[in-house]
Each structure stands twice: as structure tokens, then as C-alpha cells.
Amino acid sequence: MRQYSADLTPPWKRPKPTPEVPAEPGLVVEEPGTGFCGAVIRCEAGTVTLEDRFGKHRVFPLEPRGFLLEGRVVTLVRPAAGPVRPTRTASGSVAVPGARARVARAGRIYVEGRHDAELVEKVWGDDLRIEGVVVEYLEGVDDLPSIVSSFAPGPDARLGVLVDHLVPGTKEWHIAESVTSEHALVVGHPYIDIWEAVKPAALGIEAWPRVPRGQDWKTGVCRALGWPSENTGAVWQAILRRVGSYKDLEPELLGRVEELIDFVTGSGGA
């Protein structure tokens, strides 16, 4: 007698198997139970250690369906013996396997907002940790003079600042000019918001839409592209997940960030 399967669920309704992903060093994942997001720095029998962008470490068990990778549920597994490590970081620099983070310098890089800081961490995080450079963000450019005054930049404590949409003649431009000195460098990119520094091709769109003057830019972009405008923070996280390396960013941003890193570390000349 022919035996029939007891599972009568149509194939298109059956749950898809969860992909298994080797926990290679540098892989960025999120543990959904705690919301902790970080890069894999160690994988041992039954556990994986993650490091977030602030250098904090957390150890998690390697459980089935235990992590999110670019928003998808995955099962992390221990890599095969002798894993091949990346030869380049996300910024394009030569990777240094096993390199320890340097003790933080006195110098700092400030960016204009949280999204800017998260993008810089995503692409330049490995470089910044090796160089010991900490990235912080402003609440607004208006606060820049008081921050620079309190920081008191000097030869051993340089300050670099990245400003959105820095256009000559604007209020922001005058503020930047007023605080720039031998040991404080303020540079800007041409984009209204850091979102625009992500290449449209990386997001599967033809171009960033134009938003009428006077309308909130992020909200206008979301509406024009059919993205949920009521939660721009979630939209940004989806955008950030599509950034894999410097190749997904516009050169106008790349040059400015590299310039600030060189300035703060002293490798770009005084």
C-alpha cells in the first residue's frame, strides 16, 4: 500500500528553513531578545562573543534561530577550522586579524547626529578602534562652539567635526568657520541628510527624491518612495543594513571622513 505524508500543508505555506551562517570574525548580527547588536569577535564551543560599537562585549549561546542578520532570522554556527578572514575592512583598509583596540586617544571626531555616527561606525569602525578614535554626535550645530570650547583642542587632542549640508554663507558655515583652528577641523558633505550619502543603487532606487523646501526631508523622502514615514528610525536601520562597505557610499562623504581620521590621528599633517 502506498504511504502518504501526514503533512498536508501546501509547499508555499510551509516555513522556510532557517539558514545557517558561520560566525566569522567581523560578522555583524543582532540578538533579538536583548536588542544587542555587534560584530563577532570570538566563537567557541556553544557560545559567540559580540562587540558593539562602544566596545562592550556580550556572550550569547549558539541557539537555533538565535540571531538576526540584516533583519533575517539565522542560526549561527561555529566556523570550520581555519576560517579565511577578510583582507579588507568595510572602509577598504587592510584588515589586521586579531588586532586589539587601541586605548582611546584624547582626540575625538564629532558628527551631527546618531544616524551619522552609526554609518561611520558601520564602515570605519574597525579602523577607528585600531586607531583609538572615539566618535560622538552633536545634538545640533548650534552647540558646536560650546563643545569646542569645553574640549579645548590641542596638539595631543585634536578635534574633527563632520557637518551635514555645509554650504558657504549659511549659518552652519559661519559657525564652522568660527571654531576652526590649527587643532580643530570642521568639514562638511553636500547632502541634506546623511541618508543621501548612501548610493541609491545600494537601496534599489534610481535616485533620492527631491523634497520641497520647508518640508521635513526624511518624512518627504519616505512618502515619495512609499516607505513608512511614521518611523524614520526604523527606515534608517533598513538603509544601514544595505550598506556593506565604502563602495555603497558617495565619494563626497568618503573623502571627508578619511580626512578627519587622518587629522585626528596626526597622519594627515598638522
Side-chain angles (χ1 to χ4, degrees):
M1 181 180 296
R2 182 178 297 176
Q3 299 294 321
Y4 294 92
S5 171
D7 186 1
L8 301 180
T9 305
W12 59 88
K13 289 188 177 181
R14 294 172 187 167
K16 295 181 180 180
T18 304
E20 292 188 349
V21 178
E24 302 281 6
L27 181 72
V28 178
V29 295
E30 177 182 346
E31 199 286 315
T34 61
F36 189 90
C37 182
V40 173
I41 61 170
R42 187 180 308 109
C43 186
E44 300 170 327
T47 65
V48 62
T49 303
L50 305 182
E51 180 183 62
D52 71 6
R53 66 190 184 92
F54 301 108
K56 183 178 180 180
H57 292 184
R58 291 283 297 274
V59 180
F60 297 100
L62 288 175
E63 296 180 342
R65 300 175 58 84
F67 297 87
L68 297 177
L69 175 62
E70 297 183 346
R72 297 181 303 142
V73 177
V74 299
T75 297
L76 289 187
V77 296
R78 193 174 185 183
V84 177
R85 289 183 168 84
T87 58
R88 295 279 174 179
T89 66
S91 71
S93 301
V94 176
V96 184
R100 292 181 176 273
R102 174 175 175 163
V103 175
R105 295 173 182 265
R108 291 287 187 275
I109 291 177
Y110 273 87
V111 296
E112 195 162 338
R114 182 185 297 275
H115 293 180
D116 306 62
E118 290 174 342
L119 184 61
V120 169
E121 163 62 26
K122 179 76 178 283
V123 176
W124 287 274
D126 290 339
D127 308 62
L128 293 168
R129 278 184 284 277
I130 290 175
E131 294 289 351
V133 177
V134 174
V135 175
E136 301 184 34
Y137 62 90
L138 308 166
E139 292 296 336
V141 179
D142 290 342
D143 297 330
L144 188 54
S146 62
I147 288 175
V148 174
S149 177
S150 299
F151 188 85
D156 298 320
R158 292 181 170 189
L159 181 64
V161 183
L162 179 69
V163 178
D164 295 344
H165 201 224
L166 191 61
V167 178
T170 61
K171 178 188 73 171
E172 291 79 9
W173 184 82
H174 286 296
I175 292 175
E177 286 289 295
S178 72
V179 300
T180 298
S181 68
E182 181 183 1
H183 305 301
L185 175 65
V186 182
V187 300
H189 56 72
Y191 307 109
I192 295 174
D193 190 275
I194 198 67
W195 291 20
E196 251 191 320
V198 179
K199 290 181 177 179
L203 306 175
I205 60 177
E206 292 186 4
W208 287 102
R210 293 185 177 275
V211 177
R213 185 180 297 273
Q215 183 180 143
D216 179 73
W217 190 84
K218 290 187 178 76
T219 301
V221 163
C222 289
R223 288 173 177 168
L225 295 174
W227 296 345
S229 60
E230 67 279 0
N231 191 345
T232 56
V235 172
W236 166 245
Q237 291 304 315
I239 293 171
L240 191 60
R241 287 194 291 269
R242 300 296 292 272
V243 176
S245 74
Y246 73 98
K247 296 179 182 179
D248 296 319
L249 302 181
E250 299 289 358
E252 290 82 357
L253 176 68
L254 297 175
R256 300 293 73 74
V257 176
E258 297 287 352
E259 183 180 359
L260 290 177
I261 294 174
D262 287 347
F263 178 79
V264 171
T265 60
S267 58

